[in-house]
Amino acid sequence: MTLKPIQKEKLYIDGEWINGQEYVQLYSPYSGEVIGEIPLASAEDVEKAVQAAEKAKGRLRKMPAHERATILENIARLLQQRFEEAAEIIAKEAGKPISTARGEVARTIQTYKFAAEEAKRIYGETLPLDAAPGGENRIAYTVREPLGVVAAITPFNFPMNLVAHKVGPAIASGNPVVLKPASQTPLSAYFIAKIAEEAGLPKGALHVVTGKGSVVGDALVTHPHVKMVTFTGSPAVGIGLRNKAGLKKVTLELGSNSAVIVDEGVPLEKMISRCVTGAFAYQGQVCISLQRIYVHENIYEDFVDKFVEATSKLKLGDSMDPSTDVSALISPSDVERVQEWIQEAVHQGAKVAIGGERTGNILHPTVLLDVPNESKVSCQEAFAPVVLINKVSSVEEAIQYVNNSQFGLQAGVYTENIHTALDAAETLEVGGVLINDIPTFRVDHMPYGGVKESGTGREGIKYAIEEMTELKLVIINRN
């Protein structure tokens, strides 16, 4: 068998592919084999990228909306043509099961299609100034204008689609982008850069700089030409980034310990598989992964039995195997961390219903019962295939547990009672409430984001464009 040569990437700056002064090896989370050599950008490389983006902003700003839309349509079309190649890149570098990786590529295509559509409908409005005394015979209207250079910093867990959620709306609204992808998943970003280049994106509109956050991230966040920072990642990094950003616009999509509430009288047949998917899809390494389940005491035992049985049927293995449900976590240290959290919960009185052990870098899907609220697996973000199921006497009690958290991204409520559903929607302290569904649901045009330490600002193409544009008021005096 002929071994495939190691993929050696180059920085993408001002439409040129440039060798890095230093390289690091990229390893597969599942096999541990070397799958690439990645350049480490220097502060000087970042400076070149930002300066080139600044130079390109005028051209992008003046580009007609239909031309920007056509480029984004081309990206979607080319990505569709190279669908399987894109999925394999995600599966190899992120350890995402190939079937799940294919789902991400499909969503990425949709995201660029939405961006192409929204590029054509960035609207302003007219204002009736004569509603106020002194406003007579004046015409007023608003327009939305691009901010300028956008710095996009993306995580490992959706390395193609979360890049699309930043690059797509930025290009749609006429902003050049300097992209820093996660260190573990740069191949997806370079792949998209090559596709964007082929799609006709102008020189200087997109740059990809890989490297250390302390070098690349800090240089981007503090650069005077960068007008907006859009970041998806951990709360600690996001909060530190915002503190450095000064008066720049900042959108933060951070962590969560998302919960679902199950009311009595709810038929369990349909929801068990949904909840298992929500908890263990991509090894739980999803911002809105289902981490906490609060079940009414009247159906608790039945729910636990069915959930554990469904969990036991998940297949563990190689991310490239189409039958694999759960593969390796992103790093060995994450496996060790989560096992320590599980042991902490057990010492505090929790019971392990299934899982807890590891095979290589695969942490077996784990279900914990009777977990104290102060346990790390309850109050912090696990980002792993771990879910707790606790008993409650009412939906109201469950809502208190859900709200007693530093996070507030999305939450789900299963109930047959419309009043219970509306009360929950009103009182849950989260950015999104899902009635009769898991919090792990997302489609790419909905407003997505959280409250508290789950972040600030909203993604979803239309809403991201609002974040990436400035509102300008124009008044014409006809007196």
Side-chain angles (χ1 to χ4, degrees), residues 33 51 59 68 85 113 121 141 167 177 194 211 217 247 249 268 272 311 329 372 379 397 424 428 438 458:
E33 66 182 354
Q51 292 292 351
R59 180 179 177 186
R68 284 183 262 123
E85 181 185 357
K113 285 183 177 179
R121 46 187 184 226
Y141 63 92
V167 171
V177 188
K194 291 165 189 171
L247 292 178
K249 273 198 170 185
L268 301 182
I272 290 294
T311 300
L329 284 182
C379 65
E397 180 188 358
L428 282 165
I438 53 175
R458 291 294 181 270

Side-chain angles (χ1 to χ4, degrees), residues 54 65 129 158 256 294 301 328 378 383 476:
E54 174 72 9
L129 290 191
F158 286 86
S256 190
Y294 298 104
E301 301 298 337
S378 177
F383 228 58
I476 302 171

Side-chain angles (χ1 to χ4, degrees), residues 80-133:
Q80 184 69 58
Q81 291 173 4
R82 300 174 68 178
F83 189 100
E84 199 61 27
E85 181 185 357
E88 288 180 6
I89 290 171
I90 296 170
K92 286 177 181 176
E93 70 176 351
K96 181 171 288 191
I98 187 68
S99 57
T100 311
R102 290 179 181 129
E104 179 177 347
V105 177
R107 281 186 57 193
T108 304
I109 292 166
Q110 286 297 316
T111 302
Y112 284 113
K113 285 183 177 179
F114 280 127
E117 293 164 8
E118 292 298 337
K120 303 174 188 176
R121 46 187 184 226
I122 302 175
Y123 302 128
E125 61 179 347
T126 57
L127 289 85
L129 290 191
D130 62 348

Side-chain angles (χ1 to χ4, degrees), residues 331-463:
S331 73
S333 61
D334 281 289
V335 181
E336 293 158 10
R337 169 185 60 82
V338 179
Q339 284 193 309
E340 289 174 2
W341 287 18
I342 292 169
Q343 288 305 310
E344 179 203 60
V346 170
H347 290 319
Q348 293 172 337
K351 303 179 185 68
V352 179
I354 189 173
E357 63 270 28
R358 69 184 291 179
T359 301
N361 285 336
I362 299 176
L363 178 66
H364 292 219
T366 303
V367 178
L368 300 173
L369 310 177
D370 303 326
V371 177
N373 296 324
E374 65 272 14
S375 296
K376 289 188 178 75
V377 290
S378 177
C379 65
Q380 297 187 30
E381 182 179 37
F383 228 58
V386 177
V387 64
L388 67 88
I389 309 176
N390 280 4
K391 185 187 301 183
V392 293
S393 60
S394 67
V395 170
E396 290 74 21
E397 180 188 358
I399 289 173
Q400 291 179 1
Y401 287 131
V402 176
N403 287 346
N404 184 23
S405 171
Q406 70 202 69
F407 301 113
L409 192 45
Q410 294 194 160
V413 182
Y414 280 90
T415 180
E416 296 288 277
N417 188 314
I418 185 63
H419 300 291
T420 300
L422 292 173
D423 287 344
E426 187 176 301
T427 54
L428 282 165
E429 298 168 359
V430 292
V433 177
L434 289 295
I435 304 299
N436 289 331
D437 205 355
I438 53 175
T440 323
F441 175 82
R442 182 182 182 184
V443 288
D444 296 288
H445 61 303
M446 74 187 207
Y448 176 80
V451 298
K452 301 191 244 188
E453 288 190 21
S454 286
T456 180
R458 291 294 181 270
E459 289 191 340
I461 303 300
K462 171 187 172 183
Y463 307 93

Side-chain angles (χ1 to χ4, degrees), residues 111-164:
T111 302
Y112 284 113
K113 285 183 177 179
F114 280 127
E117 293 164 8
E118 292 298 337
K120 303 174 188 176
R121 46 187 184 226
I122 302 175
Y123 302 128
E125 61 179 347
T126 57
L127 289 85
L129 290 191
D130 62 348
E136 296 87 346
N137 212 26
R138 283 175 167 82
I139 297 170
Y141 63 92
T142 61
V143 292
R144 286 201 164 271
E145 297 183 338
L147 295 173
V149 180
V150 172
I153 303 174
T154 56
F156 74 83
N157 59 334
F158 286 86
M160 210 164 280
N161 196 36
L162 290 184
V163 164

